[in-house]
Amino acid sequence: MTFLVTGATGTVGRLVVQELLDAGAQVRALTRDPGKAALPAGVEVVAGDLARPESVAAAFEGVTGVHFITFAGDDYTPLPDPARLVELAAAAGVRRATVLGGRADGALEQALAATDLEWTLLNPVEFMSNTLRWWAHAVRTEGVIKEPFGDRLSALVHERDIAAVAATVLVEGGHGGRTYTITGPEAITLKRKVEILGAAIGRDVRFVELTVDEARAKWAADGMAEQTIEFLVSALGNTPEDGYTVVPTVREVTGRDARGFAQWATEHADAFRG
């Protein structure tokens, strides 16, 4: 069986590719620039842009299942014509689809629901990998994390566990019509997250809790748009219950225990060392 991975060079997409390879599947990886893909040997890398559905049509041929993302480009622009993508996939005989970050009212998701494809929506909570994006520079240069909401709980999820769930659903089948929330094995506070990271890198990392206004000023100085800042204030200050409620999806779908933040921090420790 051959599986197509869209967003194949992204944080999760690369790992979906690897998980499918580990399962013995044939993998076709879609990217806008195959020359820069740097994917494992044995992966069929093809050019295509989800923003231009016709450019992806050939990639669907001979494919059993597709791992979809819901955006096109590095700026997370929504797909302009998701219904056409689904039409092309169905016409090519694709039987299964996973949607990363899928939601019932999304245009791609609604188009899938109107077909005979076996579709599954994957809803991971906060990615552990975001820690690299947000904290690596501060930890390396200052050894200090400055953030608001230090007691906020999050059931952080390892990106490899997201990929493992996606690959298992695609290879096994039988998960059609389901929506899976994906979490890590525990909910931890922001303060505890800083402690775990410090232990993993072998040095103290201080936590300075900012007020909301101080956080707004810091994020603005970092170049964030006002809309993004207000989204963060809302999302971090009022984390929905799904974001801190641990669920056993990883174990139930893959048969493996979910990876904790301590393991993730150990795996990525070198990126935080000055």
Side-chain angles (χ1 to χ4, degrees):
M1 293 185 291
T2 299
F3 297 93
L4 175 67
V5 179
T6 70
T9 59
T11 300
V12 174
R14 286 186 178 278
L15 296 175
V16 176
V17 168
Q18 188 61 59
E19 290 284 338
L20 287 168
L21 288 175
D22 292 346
Q26 298 295 313
V27 183
R28 185 175 296 162
L30 185 76
T31 177
R32 287 167 294 159
D33 189 349
K36 296 180 179 179
L39 290 166
V43 175
E44 179 189 0
V45 181
V46 298
D49 186 347
L50 292 177
R52 298 184 295 110
E54 303 305 325
S55 73
V56 184
F60 290 127
E61 295 296 330
V63 164
T64 297
V66 179
H67 177 69
F68 277 115
I69 55 176
T70 59
F71 55 87
D74 297 332
D75 57 356
Y76 300 98
T77 301
L79 298 175
D81 194 358
R84 181 57 177 157
L85 284 170
V86 172
E87 181 183 1
L88 290 168
V94 172
R95 302 202 306 271
R96 300 174 198 149
T98 53
V99 182
L100 181 62
R103 61 184 206 279
D105 63 346
L108 175 67
E109 297 86 328
Q110 290 180 339
L112 286 168
T115 71
D116 293 329
L117 270 72
E118 222 181 81
W119 52 267
T120 308
L121 309 185
L122 308 179
N123 290 318
V125 298
E126 184 179 355
F127 289 17
M128 293 180 186
S129 58
N130 286 345
T131 312
L132 275 174
R133 177 185 175 189
W134 292 105
W135 287 7
H137 179 73
V139 172
R140 285 196 304 265
T141 59
E142 302 177 59
V144 179
I145 296 299
K146 300 175 182 179
E147 295 233 350
F149 312 119
D151 292 318
R152 177 181 71 90
L153 282 168
S154 175
L156 297 157
V157 61
H158 196 302
E159 55 272 21
R160 186 167 291 279
D161 286 333
I162 303 168
V165 171
T168 301
V169 167
L170 288 171
V171 172
E172 284 187 352
H175 300 266
R178 300 183 186 179
T179 298
Y180 287 133
T181 298
I182 309 172
T183 75
E186 60 181 344
I188 59 175
T189 66
L190 189 60
K191 294 174 183 176
R192 178 62 182 145
K193 182 180 172 185
V194 173
E195 292 173 358
I196 292 171
L197 181 60
I201 67 175
R203 66 185 179 93
D204 288 337
V205 179
R206 289 196 303 117
F207 176 68
V208 175
E209 186 162 5
L210 303 178
T211 67
V212 171
D213 285 343
E214 287 171 340
R216 284 191 175 103
K218 176 181 181 296
W219 292 333
D222 290 341
M224 281 190 194
E226 183 177 353
Q227 183 177 2
T228 302
I229 291 171
E230 292 311 311
F231 169 79
L232 287 174
V233 169
S234 176
L236 300 179
N238 301 282
T239 302
E241 187 174 354
D242 285 353
Y244 56 81
T245 302
V246 174
V247 293
T249 303
V250 175
R251 161 57 65 179
E252 291 178 350
V253 174
T254 72
R256 303 185 304 207
D257 290 332
R259 300 164 173 86
F261 183 70
Q263 179 175 342
W264 183 94
T266 299
E267 293 168 355
H268 295 84
D270 286 348
F272 294 90
R273 294 188 176 111

